Amino acid sequence: MSRVLVTGGSSGLGAALVAQFVAQGHQVLRTDIGTTFDGDDGPYLRLDVRNPADWDAAVAWCDEHWGGLDILVNNAGIATGGRIDVETLDEWDRVVDINLMGVVRGCRAFTPVFKRQRSGYIANTASVAGLIHPPMMSSYNTVKAGVVALSETLSHELQPFGVTVSVICPSFFQTNLADSFQGADKTMESGARRLIEKSPRTADDIATVVLAGIAKKRFLIIPDRPARMAYLTKRWARPLYDRQMRKSAAKAHRRAEQAQQTHG
């Protein structure tokens, strides 16, 4: 039985991961930005991934109640995106602070614990957008690629201490992630929201594959077929991948022009 901390654990993929870890008999600390959580599947701790003091409190909680930690799941994140000349710099600052630096803070907070134990596991939630880079998603692609790069770096850096690192890269699945959009590019937001809401995959579907990947200590966990196909196309059929990305850009451009004409 492992001791597990999950950030962003109150909804979406985080909640699904918590439920499946608990079902497998693990001890789980669910964390999120809310002050309380109404649930009966283990302890809850408020943790804003932007706040170093909250991370210090999480480390202290794990030391006091468990004497350490076995698995850290850096899952908290928001949705964002838009054309480079429409999305604001404030939006860039927000997504970098949460989606990238939130993961960095978590890794920094618990690495001393894992080094002291000579064991541990870090699973960072990125996205297939960290592996392939569709148009009109500059900020999201950038931070998720950063999470992939950070994870690969730490997989080598921390291996001598018995620490394993995985990075999770799903494509669109049904979740409340779209509710975190706060961007200026409403046309791009509506397109992403449609892809999320129409996906046949649920957070539980993704979580099942993620836990199997963690059990096998896989570095790169790509939990759904569309994400795997996109990744493999980029690696092995780059001309086809480039054509698909340019078609996607042209389609998005037409949609933006139509929206501008409509709202004139």
Side-chain angles (χ1 to χ4, degrees), residues 119-191:
S119 68
Y121 201 121
I122 299 172
N124 295 325
T125 299
S127 164
V128 71
L131 303 173
I132 67 167
H133 307 125
M136 286 69 176
M137 291 177 57
S138 296
S139 62
Y140 195 74
N141 294 345
T142 298
V143 295
K144 292 303 186 180
V147 173
V148 173
L150 172 67
S151 302
E152 182 178 340
T153 301
L154 297 185
S155 72
H156 304 307
E157 180 177 328
L158 300 181
Q159 189 275 334
F161 298 93
V163 180
T164 302
V165 181
S166 293
V167 62
I168 304 161
C169 296
S171 65
F172 293 103
F173 59 95
Q174 295 174 27
T175 181
N176 62 342
L177 182 65
D179 294 340
S180 63
F181 273 112
Q182 297 182 11
D185 198 336
K186 299 301 181 183
T187 301
M188 297 304 105
E189 175 183 330
S190 64

Side-chain angles (χ1 to χ4, degrees), residues 7-26:
T7 68
S10 294
S11 61
L13 180 58
L17 289 168
V18 169
Q20 294 200 25
F21 274 120
V22 169
Q24 291 186 8
H26 302 289

Side-chain angles (χ1 to χ4, degrees), residues 24-105:
Q24 291 186 8
H26 302 289
Q27 299 181 81
V28 182
L29 175 60
R30 183 198 305 264
T31 73
D32 215 312
I33 59 174
T35 55
T36 60
F37 177 78
D38 296 327
D40 56 1
D41 54 359
Y44 174 83
L45 183 70
R46 185 186 187 280
L47 196 165
D48 183 341
V49 298
R50 295 169 293 184
N51 187 344
D54 283 3
W55 280 110
D56 291 342
V59 172
W61 191 100
C62 292
D63 283 342
E64 178 183 352
H65 292 86
W66 290 342
L69 187 71
D70 298 308
I71 302 175
L72 169 66
V73 184
N74 285 307
N75 172 76
I78 59 170
T80 187
R83 290 160 288 178
I84 189 65
D85 55 337
V86 178
E87 188 175 12
T88 69
L89 291 179
D90 284 343
E91 292 173 59
W92 273 85
D93 288 341
R94 178 171 177 258
V95 73
V96 169
D97 200 20
I98 296 172
N99 286 22
L100 178 56
M101 292 306 299
V103 177
V104 171
R105 293 183 189 102

Side-chain angles (χ1 to χ4, degrees), residues 242-262:
D242 287 341
R243 287 197 298 271
Q244 290 174 337
M245 291 297 105
R246 287 165 186 157
K247 285 176 63 176
S248 176
K251 183 177 180 181
H253 177 66
R254 289 194 299 270
R255 189 165 62 243
E257 283 190 329
Q258 290 168 358
Q260 186 175 5
Q261 292 170 2
T262 300

